[in-house]
Amino acid sequence: MSSDAIPVLTIDGPSGSGKGTISRLVAEHLGWHLLDSGAIYRAVGYAAGMAGIDLTDAEAVTRMAESAKIAFRAARDGGDTRVIVNGHDATDELRTETAGAAASAIAAYPALRAALFDKQRGFRKAPGLVADGRDMGTVIFPDAPYKVFLTASAEERARRRYKQLKDKGLNVTLAALLREIQARDERDATRAVAPLRPADDALTIDTTGIPVERVVAAVLAVVRRA
Ligand code: DC
């Protein structure tokens, strides 16, 4: 099968919109591969930080993106997928809001986004791919047959992130998270290259107050309807 014939479902949206959870469940349900593109931006920020690179140095960060070895590995206990950066399991470090903010800052560099283009397209493998991010439906897989954009109110997104981070034992406050999430969304949505926005042909689903299983069913319906 040529890679263009392999189906892709893109799931874009702001942080805390439920993309991660929904993408994982939908991919499991369909038996498709999963691309967590945000984890790639987080991993590049992390690798650059470890190498002592100044994150405002777009060229050096881009070179790091080209050379860093980023791998996803299924967890042995059936838990979250592990993200291995240059041989080190960085999964826990990558979850923090600091890692998210660093990822968002470097994600504005056009050269970095260009360097990650082919890497992300390489995830398109049979029998199909669920691609989670900000520009999956607009830039990376504009030809995807199925596109969804998930949103939720900023307050609800902050509450979800709060619960996720607390469950993982991280020390956060709801008010600080709400501020950080709003700042990150503002930056992601207003950057010049590949800003956060729904593709023209995406179905937007507002997940505020909607249980996970209903959102999963709505997203699966997009694939089944075709
Ligand atoms: O989905 P996430 O929270 O792990 O993403 C972290 C940051 O990475 C996000 O704030 C913006 C950036 N990002 C991006 O620019 N494009 C993507 N496709 C995915 C993430």
Side-chain angles (χ1 to χ4, degrees):
M1 204 193 288
S2 101
S3 92
D4 288 355
I6 297 169
V8 178
L9 163 65
T10 62
I11 303 186
D12 290 305
S15 51
S17 57
K19 282 176 304 131
T21 306
I22 303 299
S23 298
R24 185 171 47 75
L25 291 171
V26 168
E28 271 168 21
H29 200 95
L30 295 168
W32 289 6
H33 299 278
L34 177 65
L35 164 61
D36 175 0
S37 60
I40 297 181
Y41 286 92
R42 287 170 186 256
V44 171
Y46 171 82
M50 289 304 277
I53 291 171
D54 177 355
L55 293 188
T56 63
D57 184 342
E59 258 179 54
V61 172
T62 301
R63 275 199 301 278
M64 175 52 76
E66 283 158 352
S67 65
K69 301 259 176 302
I70 301 165
F72 294 91
R73 204 170 286 160
R76 280 194 203 93
D77 58 4
D80 291 353
T81 301
R82 312 303 297 180
V83 190
I84 316 297
V85 185
N86 292 328
H88 169 73
D89 184 337
T91 316
D92 294 337
E93 291 99 318
L94 297 187
R95 280 195 189 111
T96 64
E97 203 40 45
T98 311
S104 167
I106 62 171
Y109 303 148
L112 171 66
R113 303 198 74 88
L116 295 177
F117 184 82
D118 287 341
K119 207 191 265 290
Q120 295 174 88
R121 298 266 305 174
F123 279 76
R124 189 173 195 164
K125 294 210 173 92
L129 175 69
V130 177
D132 159 350
R134 303 291 187 291
D135 63 340
M136 297 295 101
T138 50
V139 176
I140 307 295
F141 302 107
D143 54 335
Y146 315 115
K147 298 183 185 178
V148 168
F149 191 84
L150 297 184
T151 60
S153 70
E155 290 72 22
E156 169 127 351
R157 293 188 289 109
R159 272 196 301 275
R160 287 180 190 162
R161 288 287 294 154
Y162 180 76
K163 185 167 182 315
Q164 257 174 11
L165 295 174
K166 276 283 184 199
D167 287 350
K168 292 187 167 130
L170 295 165
N171 187 18
V172 283
T173 69
L174 189 55
L177 260 183
L178 180 59
R179 273 197 308 276
E180 282 162 9
I181 279 185
Q182 283 172 323
R184 187 138 73 89
D185 291 344
E186 168 76 14
R187 182 165 47 203
D188 292 344
T190 54
R191 68 180 174 223
V193 186
L196 167 68
R197 68 167 182 85
D200 293 338
D201 49 349
L203 173 74
T204 296
I205 304 176
D206 186 338
T207 69
T208 311
I210 312 279
V212 168
E213 51 285 8
R214 279 195 43 211
V215 181
V216 168
V219 174
L220 285 171
V222 170
V223 176
R224 294 216 177 98
R225 223 181 4 242

